[in-house]
Amino acid sequence: MKPMTDNLPPTPPPGPSTDTQQLDAVKAELEMQRNYLRDILDSVEDAFMSVTPDGKLIFASRSFEQVFGYPVERYLSDPDFYKTVVHPDDLALVIRQRDDLFDKGSVELERRLVFPDGSIHWQFQRIWVNYDAEGHPLTVNTMGRDITARKQAEAALREAAATLEQRVDERTAELNQIKHRLETIFETISDGVLLLDPVHGIQAANPAGEALLNITPADYATFRLEHIFAPETVVRLRALKLQVAQTRQPQQVEAVLQRPGGLSHDVEISYAPVSGDESELAQLVIIIRDVTARKRTEAALRASEARYLNVVQTQTELICRYDTDLKLTFVNDAYARRFDQLPRDLVGQSFLPLIPERERDAVRLHALDLLRNGGASVHEYEFSGADGQKYWQYWTDVALYDDHGTITGVQAVGVDITERKRAEMTLQQKLDEEQELQQNLQVLHAISIELTKVETLDEFYRAVVEMGLTRLGMDRVGIFLYDQAANMAQGVYGTDDVGNIQAEKYIRFLIRPDGGMYTSMIKPERFHFNDNAPLYHKEDVVGYGWNLTVALWSGDRVLGWLVADNYIHRRPVTPTQIEILAQYGIYVSASLVRRQVEDALRASEEEFRLLLEAAPVATIISDTLGMIALVNQAAEDMFGYSRAEMLGQPLEIIMPQALDETDLPLSPVIAGADDERERLNVMALVGRRKNGTRFPADIQLSYIEIQSSSVMMLHVLDMTQRAAAEKALKQALAREKELSELRARFVSTTSHEFRTPLAAILAATESLSLYRQRMDDEQIANRLERIRAQVLHMRNIMEDVLQLTKMEAGYADFKLTDGDLGALCQAIVDEFNSQPDYHDRLVFSTPLAEPTAQFDARLLRQVVTNLVHNGLKYSEKQVRVELDRDEDELILKISDQGIGIPADDLKRLFEPFHRAANVGTISGTGLGLSIAKQAVTLHKGSLSVASQVGVGTTFTVRVPIKA
């Protein structure tokens, strides 16, 4: 609490001592009262503060900061501090109230303050002013009370009231909807509904009720039950009505309602009380339902059930029903006969004792699951009959429901499927045997492949025994060879008494007529099976078991035997195993014959190989399709391939093609030989070594018949030197022919091109000789100029010929310098455009600012001039010259719209002296394009042409930017 003495009004000046004593006494009393008041204010939750009109603190209670949120000094140090504390939404009201304070003397308001922690508190504040006797303000007092809790309670109360009001509205709307639905149901329900007073009769009825009773509202008071029911029914209904009215318990009864015209209806009448005073008879609601159709349906259903029962009783299937307690409610005669009982003895009893004990729990769980989840299910179970045989039944169970959808039981139908199951088991056994056979056949196939990979005959015998043990699962297997001359069996490989493979070449014995080996030789199936045969280890009998002996045949000759037994594990043999072992014997026989033939053939081949290797000529053996089968050392040396690299490859890898007129590959030439297989010489042939070099070769081909099949033997001779001489001779002849043709074209062209200028010169000189005296100087000068022009034309022709000759001989002057090809083209175009014959017929364009490159300016000028002149000469329309570039080349295109070039001439267009067939009388030597082509080629560029007769021609020159 802040002290109050410092800011009290000033004390009067001292007077006489008596007055002073009285004044001191008053002061003391006043101070005591003030302290008392201060203690009271400090003890209450409300906060109080008193200040002078100029804002000096007189008193502040202890709860000030708790209520106002901040220390009193903050409020007094800054007169506008309150504006930062009051909630923005309340600030205008607070300012207005403070402004009215001294006019009104006191103000009250509720406001919100924002505390330092950001929380908002509601506060009730009362401010009043105390005045002295003369009306001057003495103190300004403030009382503050925290009303946050009250405000929150008020807000909660308002929210609760709003929620309650909303719920009342919703409930009212809901009740109205219910009322509307009930009224709709009352008006539209097909059942008759009556509101009945036990004393005063019908009070209300729905349209269905009025229609059923054939009444209107005007008939309510006079309606009597005698009008529509028989007398005995009326008595019963009146007693029932009174009972319901007294006991207030609903009742229901069925009756027959009589309609006008003698029609009757079966109806169901329900009486129900309407709530009312317990001391009075209750009003009743009567519902009358026409059940005529239902009665008819029930009668039809009973008839149908009777027919169904008759059908069920005559079925051979087992049919029963049981309830939720698993007790039988119905069984047909077939079901009763199956268990040798009467139906009446079974109904009411659980069916579980009838189920075999081992199946009983599963059937019980199945039934309970069906009763719990509904639906339908099927199952089958196996049981043993009195005769000890196995039987099977197949049951279909369907859940039964009442009108409310509640499961009330199960109907089950059982069928004896014993015959079907036995047939299925037999079929499955056959399928298993077939599958086992197929698997074993696949194993046999894999074994046969593996046996072909064995190198030697001894390894083959051992592999036969090993495969029988590991792949076919036999206990013991042995293989014996037959010495027909001595009629003895010779052991090769077998199995000892613990299953290990061992060599048995020491075993040799005579074939006894009563033994299994002899029997297998004479039986059609070529094997002998004994299910109780003596089993041997070495030469001693060590027990008894089954023994299978399979004869190994080749045509009509016995090669030996394959023998197997079950000495180690004594397992019984299956028919499939016997069949597989017999098939294994066939596989082994075929492989043994092939192996023996291969060994004999291998020995013969070795002899042949030694002879082949000794031959000094490259020798190759292939099949008739040209696949290499054998080569000798001389062939390896000639072609540079190793033997392994050539074997199995086509002949084309070393002799890619024949050099006859058809230029066909070698294989078709060989395959096309005549059927007599005579000696065939193929002289013109190309050989190719491994390093890619080719050489001319001569082959001598022979056919060899080996066991009804043919192979080819080729002897190859290197004809390089002779071919080189022939090639040089052919080249010389071709060059001579080319020069002869060129000479003829040159003579023809030059004679034609020289004839015109020579004729012009001759005419000019003759006119000068004959008429010179009659001519003036200008006429003489014109004729001399004509002679000079024709001489220059002939000189240009000769220079073109000389330049082409130098280019073809490689003696042309060729100097690369940096230059502007665009400027060169522009200069040439300007030169032609300045001539009267070509004025403004050339257009030059380029997007390049400085199309510079390295080129020979003289040669490229000649190239561009020739192409431009050709365009102007063969076209009467405009000629376009376009210059552009790509990444590393300048591209020059000269396009005209002239006569075009025939397709046949395009192939020879750049040959010297060649001119297109459609040039007609237009003069030319046929050298310009040839020179242009040579010049562009010197620049390592290209010159191409695209043309269409009657449309025009485009020449494209491409030269590198940098050489």
Side-chain angles (χ1 to χ4, degrees):
M1 185 187 69
K2 302 297 181 180
M4 297 189 301
T5 56
D6 294 340
N7 297 316
L8 288 174
T11 304
S17 60
T18 302
D19 292 338
T20 301
Q21 291 176 355
Q22 291 177 350
L23 182 59
D24 291 339
V26 171
K27 283 184 176 181
E29 181 64 22
L30 182 59
E31 182 67 22
M32 183 179 66
Q33 292 297 329
R34 285 180 175 177
N35 289 335
Y36 177 71
L37 179 60
R38 180 183 62 192
D39 291 340
I40 291 174
L41 294 178
D42 282 341
S43 64
V44 298
E45 293 181 355
D46 295 345
F48 292 90
M49 180 180 70
S50 181
V51 297
T52 62
D54 58 356
K56 294 182 180 179
L57 180 64
I58 299 175
F59 167 77
S61 65
R62 292 176 180 173
S63 59
F64 183 88
E65 183 174 348
Q66 180 180 355
V67 174
F68 284 86
Y70 296 88
V72 66
E73 291 83 359
R74 296 287 299 276
Y75 286 93
L76 296 179
S77 62
D78 181 5
D80 291 329
F81 175 71
Y82 75 93
K83 295 180 181 179
T84 64
V85 176
V86 175
H87 193 280
D89 294 344
D90 301 335
L91 184 58
L93 173 63
V94 172
I95 294 174
R96 188 167 59 252
Q97 294 282 37
R98 290 175 67 89
D99 292 344
D100 294 344
L101 176 62
F102 287 98
D103 293 336
K104 295 181 179 181
S106 67
V107 293
E108 293 182 355
L109 71 155
E110 292 180 353
R111 63 179 184 175
R112 285 166 288 181
L113 299 180
V114 181
F115 277 29
D117 61 356
S119 60
I120 297 175
H121 292 254
W122 277 94
Q123 184 189 74
F124 170 76
Q125 186 178 35
R126 183 174 182 274
I127 308 174
W128 70 95
V129 181
N130 291 333
Y131 297 89
D132 58 14
E134 291 152 355
H136 298 111
L138 184 62
T139 61
V140 178
N141 307 291
T142 301
M143 185 276 289
R145 178 179 303 153
D146 190 326
I147 60 172
T148 302
R150 191 195 78 190
K151 285 291 186 180
Q152 292 174 345
E154 289 175 353
L157 185 60
R158 284 193 299 273
E159 183 179 356
T163 302
L164 179 59
E165 183 176 356
Q166 180 182 358
R167 290 181 178 176
V168 170
D169 293 341
E170 291 174 352
R171 184 57 179 166
T172 301
E174 183 180 347
L175 291 175
N176 287 333
Q177 291 177 355
I178 294 173
K179 177 175 176 294
H180 176 71
R181 287 197 297 269
L182 291 176
E183 290 175 348
T184 302
I185 293 172
F186 183 77
E187 293 295 328
T188 59
I189 191 171
S190 61
D191 295 342
V193 181
L194 309 176
L195 180 61
L196 184 68
D197 185 277
V199 177
H200 300 96
I202 299 174
Q203 303 298 304
N206 70 339
E210 292 177 349
L212 190 63
L213 301 180
N214 195 27
I215 60 174
T216 65
D219 302 323
Y220 289 175
T222 60
F223 176 78
R224 297 292 181 268
L225 293 176
E226 292 85 349
H227 298 163
I228 57 175
F229 291 107
E232 64 274 12
T233 303
V234 172
V235 173
R236 185 156 52 98
L237 292 178
R238 286 176 176 171
L240 188 65
K241 176 180 68 175
L242 183 60
Q243 178 184 354
V244 173
Q246 292 174 342
T247 62
R248 299 181 183 274
Q249 298 296 322
Q251 296 290 338
Q252 183 174 305
V253 67
E254 291 185 358
V256 178
L257 184 147
Q258 302 294 331
R259 296 293 301 274
L263 296 177
S264 63
H265 293 267
D266 293 311
V267 295
E268 182 181 84
I269 306 174
S270 300
Y271 288 85
V274 178
S275 299
D277 190 345
E278 293 291 339
S279 63
E280 299 178 354
L281 291 177
Q283 285 190 335
L284 303 178
V285 171
I286 302 177
I287 300 176
I288 304 175
R289 176 172 297 169
D290 189 337
V291 295
T292 303
R294 191 190 74 188
K295 289 288 187 179
R296 293 173 182 170
T297 302
E298 289 175 351
L301 182 61
R302 285 192 295 272
S304 175
E305 287 180 347
R307 290 193 298 271
Y308 167 76
L309 183 61
N310 183 53
V311 171
V312 167
Q313 292 293 5
T314 59
Q315 295 297 309
T316 58
E317 288 85 356
L318 312 184
I319 302 175
C320 71
R321 291 180 183 174
Y322 56 86
D323 59 17
T324 55
D325 295 327
L326 307 185
K327 292 183 179 180
L328 293 168
T329 59
F330 169 81
V331 298
N332 70 343
D333 292 342
Y335 188 97
R337 286 195 302 271
R338 165 66 183 80
F339 297 104
D340 197 21
Q341 296 190 47
L342 296 175
R344 65 173 177 270
D345 296 332
L346 292 173
V347 173
Q349 304 297 320
S350 173
F351 66 86
L352 289 177
L354 305 175
I355 305 300
E357 186 174 357
R358 66 174 184 174
E359 299 282 344
R360 194 171 298 163
D361 288 341
V363 172
R364 180 177 61 81
L365 293 175
H366 171 78
L368 293 176
D369 180 70
L370 192 61
L371 288 168
R372 180 170 57 255
N373 299 316
S377 66
V378 294
H379 63 98
E380 63 180 47
Y381 70 88
E382 171 191 336
F383 63 94
S384 298
D387 56 0
Q389 297 291 324
K390 289 184 179 180
Y391 294 87
W392 288 267
Q393 289 181 347
Y394 181 85
W395 286 87
T396 302
D397 299 345
V398 181
L400 303 175
Y401 301 84
D402 60 15
D403 294 339
H404 304 290
T406 303
I407 298 175
T408 59
V410 173
Q411 177 167 297
V413 179
V415 180
D416 190 312
I417 58 170
T418 301
E419 293 301 323
R420 191 190 77 188
K421 292 295 289 187
R422 288 173 179 170
E424 288 177 354
M425 292 173 64
T426 302
L427 178 61
Q428 186 61 46
Q429 182 179 357
K430 293 293 185 182
L431 290 175
D432 292 342
E433 292 176 356
E434 181 67 23
Q435 184 177 7
E436 181 184 3
L437 179 60
Q438 292 296 329
Q439 291 174 348
N440 286 323
L441 288 176
Q442 293 176 2
V443 172
L444 285 179
H445 178 67
I447 290 174
S448 66
I449 294 175
E450 293 185 32
L451 289 177
T452 60
K453 299 177 182 178
V454 178
E455 294 293 335
T456 66
L457 192 58
D458 185 73
E459 291 174 349
F460 171 80
Y461 293 140
R462 180 181 176 88
V464 168
V465 175
E466 182 180 359
M467 296 296 178
L469 297 173
T470 59
R471 303 296 291 276
L472 299 180
M474 297 294 107
D475 276 10
R476 295 199 308 176
V477 177
I479 185 169
F480 296 84
L481 298 180
Y482 181 43
D483 184 350
Q484 188 174 5
N487 192 32
M488 298 187 73
Q490 172 66 57
V492 185
Y493 281 96
T495 313
D496 62 16
D497 57 346
V498 293
N500 296 319
I501 300 175
Q502 63 181 8
E504 294 184 344
K505 295 180 177 62
Y506 61 90
I507 299 178
R508 184 176 174 84
F509 54 87
L510 283 170
I511 304 301
R512 302 192 310 271
D514 59 345
M517 290 182 174
Y518 179 80
T519 306
S520 68
M521 293 169 59
I522 63 175
K523 279 188 173 183
E525 59 269 24
R526 296 183 176 180
F527 69 83
H528 173 70
F529 175 73
N530 187 349
D531 60 355
N532 188 25
L535 305 180
Y536 291 87
H537 176 53
K538 296 183 179 180
E539 297 180 359
D540 300 326
V541 176
V542 292
Y544 287 85
W546 62 260
N547 174 276
L548 179 66
T549 304
V550 181
L552 306 178
W553 286 81
S554 174
D556 57 355
R557 181 169 60 92
V558 176
L559 304 176
W561 296 269
L562 191 65
V563 181
D565 63 33
N566 66 337
Y567 169 73
I568 298 175
H569 298 103
R570 302 301 173 94
R571 289 186 296 241
V573 68
T574 65
T576 301
Q577 287 177 312
I578 295 176
E579 186 174 355
I580 290 300
L581 282 171
Q583 290 292 329
Y584 187 41
I586 296 174
Y587 276 90
V588 172
S589 298
S591 298
L592 179 57
V593 171
R594 184 172 61 251
R595 179 69 60 178
Q596 291 174 343
V597 171
E598 288 174 354
D599 284 355
L601 182 60
R602 191 177 295 112
S604 175
E605 287 177 349
E606 181 63 20
E607 294 178 3
F608 177 77
R609 188 189 64 80
L610 293 175
L611 293 173
L612 186 66
E613 284 295 323
V617 179
T619 304
I620 300 169
I621 295 178
S622 74
D623 59 19
T624 55
L625 297 178
M627 305 302 292
I628 299 174
L630 187 65
V631 297
N632 65 353
Q633 184 62 44
E636 291 186 68
D637 297 338
M638 175 178 288
F639 292 102
Y641 286 98
S642 67
R643 195 164 310 202
E645 291 173 323
M646 285 190 283
L647 295 181
Q649 299 298 320
L651 287 170
E652 279 77 10
I653 70 164
I654 56 175
M655 289 174 284
Q657 63 188 33
L659 288 182
D660 57 10
E661 294 180 356
T662 60
D663 200 33
L664 293 173
L666 178 61
S667 293
V669 175
I670 296 173
D674 56 45
D675 294 335
E676 295 180 359
R677 304 302 188 190
E678 297 177 352
R679 184 179 182 85
L680 175 66
N681 293 324
V682 181
M683 301 301 295
L685 195 73
V686 172
R688 180 172 59 195
R689 298 183 178 88
K690 183 178 180 180
N691 60 11
T693 60
R694 300 184 177 220
F695 62 93
D698 177 23
I699 67 168
Q700 292 180 343
L701 176 63
S702 300
Y703 287 90
I704 303 174
E705 299 293 334
I706 299 178
Q707 295 183 351
S708 73
S709 62
S710 299
V711 297
M712 297 183 297
M713 178 180 290
L714 295 87
H715 300 288
V716 185
L717 300 175
D718 188 343
M719 306 298 291
T720 302
Q721 294 180 353
R722 189 179 76 178
E726 291 177 352
K727 182 178 180 181
L729 180 59
K730 289 179 181 180
Q731 288 177 346
L733 290 174
R735 183 61 179 169
E736 183 64 27
K737 182 179 179 181
E738 182 181 350
L739 290 175
S740 177
E741 292 176 354
L742 184 60
R743 189 181 303 111
R745 278 190 287 169
F746 172 73
V747 170
S748 174
T749 301
T750 54
S751 63
H752 178 271
E753 288 299 317
F754 283 1
R755 184 180 297 115
T756 300
L758 286 173
I761 293 172
L762 179 60
T765 55
E766 286 179 350
S767 65
L768 285 173
S769 299
L770 296 175
Y771 306 107
R772 183 179 182 88
Q773 293 79 7
R774 302 178 186 179
M775 298 179 184
D776 56 22
D777 292 341
E778 182 178 355
Q779 289 176 327
I780 294 172
N782 287 337
R783 281 164 174 75
L784 292 175
E785 178 60 29
R786 199 178 301 162
I787 294 171
R788 188 181 68 85
Q790 295 302 326
V791 172
L792 290 176
H793 176 62
M794 288 190 294
R795 188 192 68 180
N796 290 335
I797 293 175
M798 295 306 299
E799 286 180 352
D800 286 346
V801 173
L802 291 174
Q803 184 173 359
L804 179 61
T805 304
K806 287 182 179 180
M807 287 182 176
E808 289 181 340
Y811 299 134
D813 293 334
F814 180 66
K815 296 180 181 179
L816 294 176
T817 58
D818 292 335
D820 187 339
L821 186 56
L824 177 62
C825 292
Q826 185 65 58
I828 295 172
V829 169
D830 292 342
E831 291 173 3
F832 277 100
N833 280 333
S834 65
Q835 299 178 31
D837 292 341
Y838 308 130
H839 184 64
D840 290 336
R841 285 187 56 200
L842 276 175
V843 176
F844 173 66
S845 63
T846 178
L848 307 176
E850 294 183 1
T852 59
Q854 291 182 340
F855 58 88
D856 186 309
R858 181 181 59 82
L859 288 180
L860 273 193
R861 168 177 279 277
Q862 189 171 8
V863 170
V864 177
T865 300
N866 284 344
L867 296 177
V868 169
H869 185 259
N870 280 350
L872 294 169
K873 183 165 59 173
Y874 297 113
S875 171
E876 296 180 355
K877 298 181 180 180
Q878 197 176 61
V879 177
R880 301 188 59 85
V881 181
E882 299 171 301
L883 180 62
D884 204 342
R885 66 170 292 171
D886 58 12
E887 187 173 343
D888 53 3
E889 288 183 324
L890 287 178
I891 304 171
L892 177 64
K893 291 186 178 181
I894 295 93
S895 304
D896 65 57
Q897 303 176 56
I899 63 175
I901 303 170
D904 292 340
D905 289 310
L906 289 174
K907 302 176 182 178
R908 303 181 59 194
L909 191 62
F910 298 107
E911 293 182 6
F913 303 108
H914 181 80
R915 302 191 69 206
N918 62 338
V919 297
T921 60
I922 301 173
S923 64
T925 62
L927 295 175
L929 290 179
S930 181
I931 292 172
K933 179 73 171 181
Q934 294 287 348
V936 173
T937 303
L938 286 174
H939 284 82
K940 297 181 180 178
S942 63
L943 173 59
S944 58
V945 61
S947 183
Q948 186 174 349
V949 174
V951 177
T953 304
T954 298
F955 285 93
T956 302
V957 179
R958 306 176 74 98
V959 294
I961 295 175
K962 291 186 178 181

